[in-house]
């Protein structure tokens, strides 16, 4: 079994910054794509950004130039640096990872979610 544990959410004023972390643990051979999604009240979950094992990234237009994703493959951890936060960034942020558990098994896992609130 695999767990994704997120940390770093909280309350921040508009224009402020937060850094989210997500660490994967358990039965892991390797990790392919990792990413962050978010879900605001009354809205569907949406992709914020994802990153391949090799470091290629795909950002939502709404966060380009403000958010930066990175990963540490040795620590099975992905980070999301969020700068210039806006009230519309308020949401529950979920970590996501495609875990290679064996030669024939790849499963997608989600973190429990961490609340990010941007408000004055």
């Amino acid at each position: 079994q695999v767990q994704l544990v997120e940390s770093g959410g909280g309350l921040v004023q508009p224009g402020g910054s937060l850094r989210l972390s997500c660490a994967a643990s358990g039965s892991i051979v390797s990790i392919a794509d990792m990413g962050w999604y978010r879900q605001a009240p009354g809205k569907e979950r949406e992709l914020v950004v994802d990153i391949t094992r090799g470091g290629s990234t795909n950002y939502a237009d709404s966060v380009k130039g403000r958010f930066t994703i990175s990963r540490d493959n040795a620590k099975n951890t992905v980070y999301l640096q969020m700068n210039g936060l806006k009230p519309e960034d308020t949401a529950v942020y979920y970590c996501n990872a495609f875990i290679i558990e064996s030669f024939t098994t790849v499963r997608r896992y989600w973190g429990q979610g961490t609340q990010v609130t941007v408000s004055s």
Side-chain angles (χ1 to χ4, degrees):
Q1 202 43 280
V2 172
Q3 282 191 320
L4 301 183
V5 178
E6 300 152 355
S7 60
L11 172 65
V12 64
Q13 292 187 343
S17 298
L18 283 173
R19 188 186 193 219
L20 306 183
S21 299
C22 172
S25 62
S27 181
I28 300 170
V29 172
S30 183
I31 304 178
D33 291 8
M34 303 183 81
W36 293 93
Y37 286 69
R38 68 185 180 187
Q39 187 166 19
K43 295 188 176 182
E44 293 189 353
R45 190 173 297 188
E46 63 177 3
L47 173 69
V48 177
V49 57
D50 58 22
I51 183 169
T52 67
R53 185 170 181 82
S56 296
T57 58
N58 175 39
Y59 288 90
D61 288 343
S62 59
V63 306
K64 283 181 181 176
R66 299 188 298 122
F67 291 11
T68 303
I69 191 171
S70 61
R71 63 188 285 174
D72 185 332
N73 292 329
K75 295 181 178 180
N76 290 334
T77 300
V78 64
Y79 306 95
L80 183 64
Q81 178 66 44
M82 303 185 292
N83 298 328
L85 282 161
K86 305 176 181 180
E88 51 264 42
D89 294 317
T90 295
V92 178
Y93 283 70
Y94 296 91
C95 172
N96 166 78
F98 287 87
I99 306 294
I100 301 169
E101 298 181 30
S102 72
F103 185 71
T104 57
T105 303
V106 180
R107 289 197 177 99
R108 187 179 196 178
Y109 287 89
W110 293 90
Q112 79 282 3
T114 185
Q115 177 70 46
V116 172
T117 302
V118 185
S119 175
S120 54

